[in-house]
Amino acid sequence: MSARVANPLSNDDIEVEVSVTLGTADLRVHQLLKLGRGAVVELDRDINDYVDIYANDVLIGHGEVVITEKETIGISVTDTNGK
């Protein structure tokens, strides 16, 4: 006879860090040190390209940058890597 042990954690108890990458850029150290206020770093994506969505540093999907009703930046999920 086996006893079932209830899972002490529910989905409400699990924290996940979500981050979004707009793009990347490769800079040399001397270029990085020259950056100052107003400097522009060109990324490897176009303005209409998707952004990468990560959960705990794992790529889970892509999205588009949107402005929310509260005038904050948000992400509209366009696709996920879910099964």
Side-chain angles (χ1 to χ4, degrees):
M1 181 170 152
S2 64
R4 282 200 160 178
V5 178
N7 186 347
L9 291 177
S10 72
N11 288 342
D12 293 338
D13 297 326
I14 301 170
E15 290 190 22
V16 177
E17 179 181 311
V18 176
S19 60
V20 175
T21 300
L22 297 172
T24 60
D26 291 323
L27 298 174
R28 298 190 185 279
V29 172
H30 76 276
Q31 293 170 309
L32 185 63
L33 294 173
K34 287 183 182 178
L35 294 178
R37 186 180 193 129
V40 175
V41 176
E42 190 171 335
L43 302 177
D44 62 349
R45 301 228 175 119
D46 292 327
I47 190 75
N48 294 319
D49 283 352
Y50 62 83
V51 295
D52 295 329
I53 304 169
Y54 292 88
N56 290 343
D57 297 323
V58 175
L59 181 65
I60 62 164
H62 300 100
E64 298 173 336
V65 177
V66 296
I67 304 299
T68 68
E69 291 179 11
K70 296 180 181 180
E71 297 295 315
T72 60
I73 297 172
I75 301 300
S76 173
V77 178
T78 57
D79 66 83
T80 62
N81 295 344
K83 296 180 180 177

